[in-house]
């Protein structure tokens, strides 16, 4: 039985295993995960400081909310939790709020485990269309009905805005930075004989590439999101 023996922690001695959660939001998932991990640590007889959990978001209000929330206080007092304002597409360092220090690319010598819980659907996507065997880049054009330079609230701006799609003929050698994605474009182009529309989660890919650079050790990602995995769903769109 697992309760009858100790389990050695698979990490370097004296270095915590870093867990970075991106786009945390209200923090409920973080709370339950930390609670469950510490319960498991008691069974394995691992110290809580075995991990360093970093909650991140692009909203300063969310970070202030976590800091004041009593449910997260025990993890803060234990020294295993910190917060950071972090844009996963643009930021090349993580500024820890409580420790008041920065983590830069390549700074961590322990493995990184990243969590993106319903994040990728909020990041940029590239849109494509196939028609009669030809591949097109899809551009969304937003037109404003607001005259002059009058500043309006975003909600009102989009209520008055007009939307239309433009399609630009391209080849399946579209990507320069991520050439492996061209193989996917080619596969889609060969699969759909008539018409289809699909997305490439370029923001999610950029997020992964950014996160994996923070550590010299192996990188693991746990992603939870919604998506269609059957190509028939895209046929005829």
């Amino acid at each position: 039985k697992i309760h009858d023996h100790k389990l050695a922690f698979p990490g370097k001695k004296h270095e915590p295993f870093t867990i970075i959660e991106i786009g945390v939001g209200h923090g409920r998932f973080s709370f339950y995960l930390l609670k469950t991990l510490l319960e498991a640590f008691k069974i394995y007889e691992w110290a809580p400081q075995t991990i360093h959990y970093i909650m991140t978001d692009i909203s300063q209000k969310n970070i202030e909310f976590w800091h004041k929330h009593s449910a997260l206080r025990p993890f803060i007092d234990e020294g295993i939790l910190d917060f950071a304002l972090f844009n996963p597409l643009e930021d090349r360092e993580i500024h820890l709020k409580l420790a008041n220090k920065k983590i830069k690319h390549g700074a961590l010598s322990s493995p990184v485990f990243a969590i993106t819980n319903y994040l990728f659907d909020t990041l940029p996507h590239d849109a494509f269309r196939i028609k009669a065997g030809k591949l097109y880049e899809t551009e969304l054009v937003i037109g404003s009905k607001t005259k002059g330079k009058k500043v309006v609230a975003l909600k009102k701006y989009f209520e008055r805005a007009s939307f239309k799609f433009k399609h630009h003929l391209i080849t399946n050698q579209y990507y320069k930075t991520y050439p492996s994605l061209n193989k996917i474009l080619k596969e889609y182009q060969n699969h759909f004989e008539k018409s289809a529309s699909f997305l490439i989660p370029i923001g999610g890919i950029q997020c992964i590439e950014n996160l994996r650079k923070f550590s010299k050790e192996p990188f693991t990602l746990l992603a939870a999101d919604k998506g269609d995995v059957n190509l028939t769903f895209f046929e005829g769109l």
Side-chain angles (χ1 to χ4, degrees):
K1 294 180 181 180
I2 201 167
H3 294 73
D4 294 338
H5 66 277
K6 295 181 181 180
L7 193 66
F9 182 74
K12 293 184 178 180
K13 194 174 182 181
H14 307 308
E15 295 182 358
F17 190 93
T18 304
I19 302 176
I20 305 175
E21 187 180 352
I22 311 299
V24 167
H26 49 61
R28 182 179 295 178
F29 174 84
S30 313
F31 165 75
Y32 282 114
L33 179 56
L34 279 165
K35 183 173 180 290
T36 304
L37 283 174
L38 292 192
E39 289 173 354
F41 281 16
K42 289 182 180 179
I43 297 174
Y44 299 142
E45 297 186 20
W46 293 346
Q49 290 74 23
T50 299
I51 61 168
H52 184 208
Y53 199 103
I54 305 171
M55 296 169 62
T56 76
D57 204 287
I58 60 171
S59 169
Q60 183 64 42
K61 288 185 178 180
N62 283 345
I63 295 173
E64 293 171 359
F65 172 76
W66 308 333
H67 197 188
K68 296 177 182 177
H69 204 293
S70 58
L72 296 175
R73 175 52 56 182
F75 307 121
I76 296 175
D77 294 342
E78 199 73 65
I80 63 172
L81 178 63
D82 213 321
F83 314 125
L85 189 69
F86 181 67
N87 184 325
L89 299 182
E90 299 177 2
D91 295 344
R92 300 299 181 260
E93 60 183 26
I94 302 173
H95 189 177
L96 301 177
K97 177 180 176 63
L98 303 182
N100 193 26
K101 70 176 185 178
K102 296 180 180 179
I103 301 175
K104 297 182 179 181
H105 279 177
L108 298 174
S109 55
S110 62
V112 168
F113 192 101
I115 300 172
T116 57
N117 189 25
Y118 285 89
L119 173 76
F120 289 167
D121 60 343
T122 70
L123 300 180
H125 287 65
D126 287 338
F128 299 93
R129 178 188 184 186
I130 295 173
K131 189 172 183 180
K134 294 182 179 181
L135 181 64
Y136 296 84
E137 175 192 41
T138 298
E139 177 187 9
L140 172 62
V141 180
I142 304 176
S144 173
K145 295 180 180 179
T146 304
K147 295 181 180 180
K149 296 183 179 180
K150 183 179 179 182
V151 178
V152 296
L154 279 178
K155 183 178 179 181
K156 291 184 177 180
Y157 174 86
F158 284 110
E159 285 176 351
R160 301 172 186 174
S162 61
F163 304 89
K164 64 179 180 179
F165 292 101
K166 288 185 177 181
H167 305 283
H168 309 285
L169 184 64
I170 59 171
T171 71
N172 53 34
Q173 297 303 306
Y174 178 83
Y175 289 101
K176 300 292 190 295
T177 306
Y178 305 105
S180 58
L181 295 179
N182 294 328
K183 296 179 181 180
I184 297 176
L185 293 179
K186 186 177 181 180
E187 179 68 21
Y188 282 174
Q189 190 175 6
N190 292 336
H191 179 85
F192 297 110
E193 296 179 356
K194 296 181 180 179
S195 65
S197 294
F198 60 92
L199 301 172
I200 296 289
I202 191 65
I205 293 168
Q206 292 170 344
C207 171
I208 293 171
E209 289 298 309
N210 187 23
L211 291 173
R212 69 190 302 175
K213 292 177 182 178
F214 280 98
S215 176
K216 303 171 185 176
E217 294 294 315
F219 170 79
T220 303
L221 174 75
L222 174 63
D225 222 313
K226 291 182 179 180
D228 293 321
V229 296
N230 193 321
L231 287 178
T232 58
F233 291 133
F234 305 100
E235 193 89 49
L237 291 178

